[in-house]
Amino acid sequence: MAEYRGDPVVVIGLGRFGTSLALELTRRGTEVLAIDNRPKITQSLAGRITQIATADATDMEALRQLGVPDFYQAVVAVGSDIEASILTTSLLVELEINDIWAKAISTQHGRILSRIGAHHVVFPEHDMGERVAHLVSGRMLDYMQVDENFALAKTSPPKEYVGIPLGQSNLRRKYGVTIVAVKPPGEEFTYATADTELSYGDIVLVSGRTEQVERFAELP
């Protein structure tokens, strides 16, 4: 196991999202308590996650017995059972968990989770759909929405910027984006500087307002 990092996290709900999250946190060295009410699921993950328990997370006494009140962070990754998602989140709020993340499957669901006290609401299906749409419809190799209107994309450099030092390119003034890093063929990413010259075959990491990043990525 990797060296321990960060506060322990309780993950409630082991569907695809919750399982992926719990396994990745464990891989990165974070202590995880994973909870699900389906024995087959918890048995299949035994030994792969720091701690795993079969329990009903809508039962306050069960949460107390598992030591959930001792955790600083919790993630409610319950899927389509909106009632269980809301009840579990409300119990975590009642237990005064400091940092509660909750998965929502709709805008209305997310709004309710926020109102009852979730500190962060995530929409993994929506976010993944948005990301894939950008990859399918354009020239982007990868895409991430960092904030409501700010994005980071991996793409190829437009031909008009090949062979020109970035400091002389007027890129930010013309397109409103910044090339953060460059990856030449067969090499690793390195930070871009004013002296960096792009070449055909390079991959660039570009940041900026969403519509500007999209526009830049469509340049030939």
Side-chain angles (χ1 to χ4, degrees):
M1 184 184 295
E3 181 182 354
Y4 169 76
R5 296 178 183 174
D7 292 306
V9 179
V10 57
V11 177
I12 299 172
L14 295 173
R16 283 181 296 178
F17 173 67
T19 296
S20 175
L21 175 67
L23 289 172
E24 178 62 17
L25 287 170
T26 300
R27 186 191 70 79
R28 296 176 64 177
T30 298
E31 183 181 340
V32 174
L33 167 61
I35 303 171
D36 197 279
N37 61 0
R38 297 165 294 179
K40 285 187 178 180
I41 297 293
T42 56
Q43 289 168 12
S44 70
L45 292 169
R48 300 173 63 193
I49 297 171
T50 320
Q51 302 176 63
I52 192 162
T54 305
D56 178 4
T58 65
D59 182 340
M60 176 65 89
E61 187 56 34
L63 296 180
R64 292 187 189 279
Q65 290 180 1
L66 289 170
V68 171
D70 298 328
F71 283 77
Y72 180 87
Q73 290 182 302
V75 180
V76 181
V78 177
S80 58
D81 189 340
I82 295 178
E83 182 179 352
S85 165
I86 292 170
L87 181 53
T88 300
T89 302
S90 68
L91 293 180
L92 295 176
V93 172
E94 189 174 338
L95 289 172
E96 299 183 341
I97 303 300
N98 295 76
D99 195 26
I100 301 170
W101 295 72
K103 170 190 172 181
I105 60 173
S106 68
T107 302
Q108 184 179 18
H109 182 200
R111 190 176 296 121
I112 293 171
L113 291 170
S114 294
R115 285 176 178 171
I116 63 176
H119 303 100
H120 313 275
V121 176
V122 296
F123 299 84
E125 281 82 6
H126 172 272
D127 293 345
M128 180 56 71
E130 185 177 76
R131 174 175 174 269
V132 172
H134 279 88
L135 304 185
V136 169
S137 64
R139 295 174 54 248
M140 297 184 195
L141 303 173
D142 206 348
Y143 174 87
M144 181 174 68
Q145 192 78 30
V146 178
D147 205 347
E148 184 175 347
N149 194 29
F150 195 87
L152 195 64
K154 186 164 69 172
T155 187
S156 302
K159 61 184 181 182
E160 68 177 284
Y161 291 106
V162 170
I164 304 172
L166 289 177
Q168 301 175 20
S169 66
N170 292 321
L171 178 63
R172 191 179 301 177
R173 186 182 307 165
K174 187 173 182 179
Y175 291 105
V177 299
T178 299
I179 291 181
V180 180
V182 180
K183 183 181 185 299
E187 299 182 26
E188 296 183 348
F189 271 107
T190 57
Y191 288 111
T193 69
D195 297 324
T196 299
E197 290 190 16
L198 304 179
S199 302
Y200 290 110
D202 285 351
I203 295 173
V204 298
L205 202 58
V206 58
S207 65
R209 294 177 68 83
T210 302
E211 65 273 13
Q212 293 170 324
V213 168
E214 293 170 346
R215 179 181 168 214
F216 177 81
E218 292 303 315
L219 294 174

